[in-house]
């Protein structure tokens, strides 16, 4: 059995939630297992009990009991190195995703179906692919936020520790504008609105549930929506803006108001609803646009991603034209 470990929080990890820190270091460990370890005091920060949403600071020590899970994602000593061909393939794939790049940051267009981080049974994921961009100092570009596996669109990657700190700070202080496009079942009324609930993780499935204030692990979640186009009363093209950044927030909120996202296998909750012919039963959710202060302190990063093929097919079928869309006018505020 492995011994107890003590890991020190690095500068670029400062401000992370403890559960996200664990996800990055131990992708094979489930959320429920971590909760049990926290409840029983086996995981501690600087010798004190902690919760999953505890924010960690540079230099703090995290106590880790024997876990029996796969190697930490950043443990290179026992990891089998990738072949040069695999590294070249990963680099080429990331170059195909590239929407913007400079010395500080990369903005990628993640395809639907590609996982952002590793997990049980996953051999290829974006975090691992970024090893192909490791510099001479051994520093790998760092993901600063996440997208669900089946969600396509904008992913921001920091190329330096300093950039990671600044971008993470911008997300934490909500100095970031994120716009999503989705195709919903039906047409929300009113056509513009605000969704405010508490969300908590459902124990029996990898999904979130609407909870009550004060429920265990419940977190306040706020989303804004605006209907841009509709097809009769059957479908609607909606822009979504997450004010907070909870897991599955937009998907859970869309289902909560009775208009789940087309192709959502976790949250689509309308019985006997038939998908119109010609539309693929895949998640119709795109991280369309991000506007965030540049980590150098000079100007803004403002990048948009195109529709993925399965969503473009739906837009074509319904006669929706993305060139009609003016993001500065039509994005919900």
């Amino acid at each position: 059995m492995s011994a107890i470990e003590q890991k020190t929080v690095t500068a670029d990890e400062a401000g992370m939630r403890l559960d996200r820190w664990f996800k990055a270091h131990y992708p094979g460990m489930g959320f429920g297992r971590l909760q049990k370890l926290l409840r029983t005091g086996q995981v501690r920060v600087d010798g004190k009990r902690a919760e999953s949403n505890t924010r960690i600071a540079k230099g703090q020590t995290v106590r880790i009991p024997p876990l029996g899970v796969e190697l930490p994602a950043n443990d290179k000593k026992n990891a089998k190195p990738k072949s040069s061909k695999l590294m070249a393939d990963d680099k080429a794939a990331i170059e195909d995703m590239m929407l913007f790049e400079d010395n500080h940051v990369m903005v990628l267009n993640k395809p639907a179906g590609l996982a952002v981080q590793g997990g049980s049974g996953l051999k290829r994921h974006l975090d691992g692919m970024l090893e192909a961009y490791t510099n001479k100092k051994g520093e790998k570009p760092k993901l600063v936020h996440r997208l669900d596996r089946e969600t396509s669109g904008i992913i921001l990657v920091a190329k330096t520790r300093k950039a990671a700190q600044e971008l993470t700070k911008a997300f934490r202080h909500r100095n970031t504008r994120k716009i999503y496009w989705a195709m919903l079942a039906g047409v929300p009324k009113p056509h513009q609105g605000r969704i405010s609930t508490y969300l908590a993780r459902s124990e029996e499935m990898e999904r979130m549930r609407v909870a009550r204030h004060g429920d265990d692990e419940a977190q306040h979640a706020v989303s804004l929506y605006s209907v841009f186009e509709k097809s009769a009363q059957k479908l609607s093209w909606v822009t979504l803006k997450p004010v907070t950044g909870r897991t599955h927030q937009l998907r859970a909120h869309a289902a909560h108001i009775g208009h789940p996202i087309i192709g959502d296998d976790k949250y689509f909750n309308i019985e006997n609803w038939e998908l119109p012919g010609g539309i693929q039963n895949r998640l119709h959710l795109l991280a369309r646009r991000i506007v965030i202060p540049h980590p150098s302190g000079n100007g803004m990063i403002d990048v948009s991603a195109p529709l993925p093929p399965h969503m473009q097919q739906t837009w074509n079928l319904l006669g929706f034209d993305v060139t009609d869309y003016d993001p500065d006018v039509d994005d919900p505020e």
Side-chain angles (χ1 to χ4, degrees), residues 180 223 240-242 246 248-255 261 285:
Y180 289 72
S223 306
L240 300 166
K241 180 182 179 183
R246 312 305 181 201
H248 294 182
Q249 175 177 316
L250 297 179
R251 297 166 65 181
H253 273 173
I261 299 172
L285 180 62

Side-chain angles (χ1 to χ4, degrees), residues 82 90 115 117-126 128-129 149:
K82 283 188 177 182
D90 286 347
Q117 287 190 305
S120 179
L122 277 177
K123 292 185 177 179
R124 198 170 196 230
H125 49 85
L126 184 56
M129 294 166 69
R149 183 173 180 176

Side-chain angles (χ1 to χ4, degrees), residues 50-320:
E51 298 182 357
S52 60
N53 61 355
T54 296
R55 298 281 180 182
I56 54 178
K58 176 186 174 183
Q60 286 187 319
T61 300
V62 182
R63 179 193 188 274
I64 302 154
L67 299 176
V69 298
E70 63 187 78
L71 284 171
N74 61 348
D75 186 345
K76 305 298 181 187
K77 291 184 293 185
N78 300 312
K80 185 178 178 181
K82 283 188 177 182
S83 70
S84 58
K85 182 182 183 304
L86 277 178
M87 294 287 274
D89 289 348
D90 286 347
K91 191 163 189 176
I94 288 174
E95 286 173 356
D96 285 343
M97 300 179 210
M98 199 80 70
L99 296 172
F100 172 84
E101 182 183 18
D102 63 16
N103 292 332
H104 306 272
V105 68
M106 295 189 290
V107 183
L108 306 180
N109 179 22
K110 186 190 81 68
L114 175 65
V116 171
Q117 287 190 305
S120 179
L122 277 177
K123 292 185 177 179
R124 198 170 196 230
H125 49 85
L126 184 56
D127 191 42
M129 294 166 69
L130 287 169
E131 290 177 15
Y133 279 81
T134 301
N135 64 22
K136 293 179 181 179
K137 297 179 181 178
E139 296 172 331
K140 186 186 79 173
K142 181 179 177 60
L143 295 160
V144 292
H145 66 123
R146 310 287 182 264
L147 283 182
D148 298 339
R149 183 173 180 176
E150 296 304 324
T151 302
S152 62
I154 298 286
I155 277 279
L156 204 57
V157 179
K159 296 175 76 172
T160 67
R161 288 186 178 182
K162 175 66 173 174
Q165 288 175 321
E166 293 302 316
L167 292 169
T168 300
K169 189 187 302 180
F171 274 100
R172 190 162 63 244
H173 295 160
R174 298 181 187 169
N175 296 330
T176 307
R177 190 178 184 209
K178 291 189 290 182
I179 301 297
Y180 289 72
W181 284 358
M183 185 67 68
L184 304 189
V187 182
K189 292 181 180 178
H191 284 180
Q192 288 189 328
R194 179 178 185 270
I195 308 167
S196 175
T197 70
Y198 284 84
L199 295 176
R201 191 175 294 269
S202 177
E203 289 288 338
E204 61 275 6
M205 296 173 66
E206 290 186 0
R207 64 192 301 274
M208 305 299 287
R209 59 180 176 84
V210 173
R212 292 178 298 182
H213 180 45
D215 283 0
D216 189 35
E217 292 295 311
Q219 294 182 308
H220 192 213
V222 178
S223 306
L224 306 179
Y225 74 86
S226 179
V227 176
F228 184 70
E229 193 71 77
K230 58 186 178 180
S231 177
Q233 295 299 312
K234 185 75 172 178
L235 298 166
S236 55
W237 167 11
V238 173
T239 60
L240 300 166
K241 180 182 179 183
V243 178
T244 53
R246 312 305 181 201
T247 301
H248 294 182
Q249 175 177 316
L250 297 179
R251 297 166 65 181
H253 273 173
H256 175 66
I257 64 171
H259 299 282
I261 299 172
I262 299 300
D264 192 337
D265 62 353
K266 291 185 184 294
Y267 295 94
F268 200 95
N269 54 3
I270 304 176
E271 293 186 9
N272 303 317
W273 195 89
E274 292 187 9
L275 192 68
I279 295 178
Q280 296 183 49
N281 191 24
R282 300 182 64 187
L283 184 66
H284 280 55
L285 180 62
L286 167 71
R288 164 66 177 175
R289 184 182 179 203
I290 193 163
V291 183
I292 188 170
H294 195 282
S296 67
N298 298 318
M300 303 290 289
I301 296 170
D302 186 348
V303 183
S304 295
L307 289 169
H310 71 282
M311 289 179 68
Q312 185 64 66
Q313 179 182 335
T314 300
W315 262 241
N316 293 344
L317 181 73
L318 299 176
F320 294 164

